[in-house]
mmCIF file of all heavy atoms in Angstrom:
data_model
loop_
_atom_site.group_PDB
_atom_site.id
_atom_site.type_symbol
_atom_site.label_atom_id
_atom_site.label_comp_id
_atom_site.label_asym_id
_atom_site.label_seq_id
_atom_site.Cartn_x
_atom_site.Cartn_y
_atom_site.Cartn_z
ATOM 1 N N ASP A 442 -11.461 17.537 -14.280
ATOM 2 C CA ASP A 442 -11.411 17.761 -12.890
ATOM 3 C C ASP A 442 -12.691 17.336 -12.164
ATOM 4 O O ASP A 442 -12.694 17.114 -10.928
ATOM 5 C CB ASP A 442 -11.150 19.212 -12.574
ATOM 6 C CG ASP A 442 -9.800 19.685 -13.047
ATOM 7 O OD1 ASP A 442 -8.857 18.815 -13.123
ATOM 8 O OD2 ASP A 442 -9.580 20.844 -13.377
ATOM 9 N N ASP A 443 -13.818 17.271 -12.905
ATOM 10 C CA ASP A 443 -15.072 16.914 -12.275
ATOM 11 C C ASP A 443 -15.275 15.377 -12.186
ATOM 12 O O ASP A 443 -16.279 14.909 -11.786
ATOM 13 C CB ASP A 443 -16.258 17.567 -13.052
ATOM 14 C CG ASP A 443 -16.298 17.081 -14.507
ATOM 15 O OD1 ASP A 443 -15.412 16.316 -14.912
ATOM 16 O OD2 ASP A 443 -17.225 17.507 -15.222
ATOM 17 N N GLY A 444 -14.254 14.641 -12.545
ATOM 18 C CA GLY A 444 -14.343 13.176 -12.392
ATOM 19 C C GLY A 444 -15.123 12.499 -13.458
ATOM 20 O O GLY A 444 -15.693 11.389 -13.128
ATOM 21 N N THR A 445 -15.189 13.083 -14.587
ATOM 22 C CA THR A 445 -15.939 12.403 -15.687
ATOM 23 C C THR A 445 -15.005 12.141 -16.889
ATOM 24 O O THR A 445 -13.982 12.846 -17.021
ATOM 25 C CB THR A 445 -17.129 13.277 -16.199
ATOM 26 O OG1 THR A 445 -16.585 14.552 -16.687
ATOM 27 C CG2 THR A 445 -18.028 13.555 -15.057
ATOM 28 N N ALA A 446 -15.382 11.178 -17.655
ATOM 29 C CA ALA A 446 -14.758 10.915 -18.986
ATOM 30 C C ALA A 446 -15.636 11.491 -20.089
ATOM 31 O O ALA A 446 -16.858 11.134 -20.093
ATOM 32 C CB ALA A 446 -14.552 9.415 -19.150
ATOM 33 N N ASP A 447 -15.131 12.352 -20.915
ATOM 34 C CA ASP A 447 -15.889 12.893 -22.018
ATOM 35 C C ASP A 447 -15.473 12.264 -23.348
ATOM 36 O O ASP A 447 -14.288 12.104 -23.662
ATOM 37 C CB ASP A 447 -15.574 14.397 -22.163
ATOM 38 C CG ASP A 447 -16.195 15.218 -21.001
ATOM 39 O OD1 ASP A 447 -16.989 14.600 -20.285
ATOM 40 O OD2 ASP A 447 -15.867 16.408 -20.833
ATOM 41 N N VAL A 448 -16.481 11.740 -24.018
ATOM 42 C CA VAL A 448 -16.210 11.101 -25.329
ATOM 43 C C VAL A 448 -17.073 11.818 -26.415
ATOM 44 O O VAL A 448 -18.296 11.960 -26.235
ATOM 45 C CB VAL A 448 -16.588 9.619 -25.318
ATOM 46 C CG1 VAL A 448 -16.284 8.989 -26.661
ATOM 47 C CG2 VAL A 448 -15.878 8.879 -24.191
ATOM 48 N N LYS A 449 -16.391 12.316 -27.434
ATOM 49 C CA LYS A 449 -17.075 13.037 -28.492
ATOM 50 C C LYS A 449 -17.014 12.230 -29.814
ATOM 51 O O LYS A 449 -15.984 11.811 -30.245
ATOM 52 C CB LYS A 449 -16.388 14.376 -28.726
ATOM 53 C CG LYS A 449 -16.418 15.305 -27.485
ATOM 54 C CD LYS A 449 -15.878 16.697 -27.798
ATOM 55 C CE LYS A 449 -15.837 17.551 -26.530
ATOM 56 N NZ LYS A 449 -17.179 17.707 -25.880
ATOM 57 N N TRP A 450 -18.205 11.952 -30.328
ATOM 58 C CA TRP A 450 -18.436 11.194 -31.546
ATOM 59 C C TRP A 450 -18.800 12.123 -32.681
ATOM 60 O O TRP A 450 -19.785 12.819 -32.527
ATOM 61 C CB TRP A 450 -19.469 10.142 -31.301
ATOM 62 C CG TRP A 450 -19.890 9.323 -32.497
ATOM 63 C CD1 TRP A 450 -20.636 9.677 -33.552
ATOM 64 C CD2 TRP A 450 -19.578 7.920 -32.737
ATOM 65 N NE1 TRP A 450 -20.808 8.669 -34.449
ATOM 66 C CE2 TRP A 450 -20.112 7.575 -33.946
ATOM 67 C CE3 TRP A 450 -18.812 6.962 -32.014
ATOM 68 C CZ2 TRP A 450 -20.038 6.283 -34.522
ATOM 69 C CZ3 TRP A 450 -18.750 5.699 -32.579
ATOM 70 C CH2 TRP A 450 -19.304 5.357 -33.761
ATOM 71 N N ARG A 451 -17.974 12.191 -33.712
ATOM 72 C CA ARG A 451 -18.205 13.143 -34.776
ATOM 73 C C ARG A 451 -18.221 12.340 -36.119
ATOM 74 O O ARG A 451 -17.212 11.722 -36.509
ATOM 75 C CB ARG A 451 -17.180 14.215 -34.889
ATOM 76 C CG ARG A 451 -17.118 15.096 -33.554
ATOM 77 C CD ARG A 451 -18.312 15.939 -33.450
ATOM 78 N NE ARG A 451 -18.259 16.874 -32.323
ATOM 79 C CZ ARG A 451 -18.794 16.604 -31.134
ATOM 80 N NH1 ARG A 451 -19.357 15.413 -30.888
ATOM 81 N NH2 ARG A 451 -18.662 17.457 -30.189
ATOM 82 N N GLU A 452 -19.334 12.424 -36.852
ATOM 83 C CA GLU A 452 -19.381 11.772 -38.194
ATOM 84 C C GLU A 452 -19.267 12.871 -39.265
ATOM 85 O O GLU A 452 -19.849 13.946 -39.113
ATOM 86 C CB GLU A 452 -20.743 11.085 -38.342
ATOM 87 C CG GLU A 452 -20.925 9.969 -37.337
ATOM 88 C CD GLU A 452 -22.234 9.135 -37.584
ATOM 89 O OE1 GLU A 452 -22.723 9.177 -38.685
ATOM 90 O OE2 GLU A 452 -22.704 8.546 -36.614
ATOM 91 N N ARG A 453 -18.554 12.523 -40.327
ATOM 92 C CA ARG A 453 -18.372 13.466 -41.424
ATOM 93 C C ARG A 453 -18.457 12.689 -42.731
ATOM 94 O O ARG A 453 -18.026 11.527 -42.859
ATOM 95 C CB ARG A 453 -16.984 14.140 -41.315
ATOM 96 C CG ARG A 453 -16.866 15.072 -40.088
ATOM 97 C CD ARG A 453 -17.765 16.285 -40.184
ATOM 98 N NE ARG A 453 -17.563 17.179 -39.004
ATOM 99 C CZ ARG A 453 -18.335 17.145 -37.947
ATOM 100 N NH1 ARG A 453 -19.308 16.232 -37.859
ATOM 101 N NH2 ARG A 453 -18.139 18.019 -36.946
ATOM 102 N N GLY A 454 -19.021 13.428 -43.763
ATOM 103 C CA GLY A 454 -18.999 12.922 -45.170
ATOM 104 C C GLY A 454 -20.134 11.982 -45.499
ATOM 105 O O GLY A 454 -20.168 11.434 -46.591
#
Side-chain angles (χ1 to χ4, degrees):
D442 294 335
D443 59 358
T445 62
D447 290 349
V448 183
K449 299 185 184 301
W450 176 284
R451 300 290 184 266
E452 298 184 24
R453 295 292 182 265

